[in-house]
Amino acid sequence: MLEFAMLVIMVTTLVALLVAYRRGRQGFQMAQPESGSLYVTGVSPRPEAMGEQYVTITGNLTGPSVPETVVYGRFAWDVNQWPAIGDYIPVVYPQGKPDRWQIAHPGSRPPLGS
């Protein structure tokens, strides 16, 4: 009986490893993220502290595969380049999933504004 239980455990482990391996390989075949633009319609007030502070941004994201979609996010942002309503921010997102958007240039944000 003990031998049978060990055999079942080993087969189950092997199947789990194969499934995990297949999922990992499929992850490398995902499509490239799409580029879009976020039109800022709301932004949290600029704090008086210096350096990077948290900002909450709301806006309308548009891109090649999604119609205008309302999204929001929270980011660490340099107070000297604080976003404003009316700014356009370049973003990327997985194809068809604009709710998972990210800023396109997080390390070196382009100057914001019109």
Side-chain angles (χ1 to χ4, degrees), residues 12-24:
T12 304
T13 303
L14 180 62
V15 169
L17 287 172
L18 287 173
V19 168
Y21 176 75
R22 298 263 313 168
R23 285 187 182 171

Side-chain angles (χ1 to χ4, degrees), residues 43-57:
V43 62
S44 58
R46 180 180 172 202
E48 292 187 23
M50 298 306 294
E52 284 195 348
Q53 302 294 323
Y54 284 108
V55 61
T56 302
I57 300 173

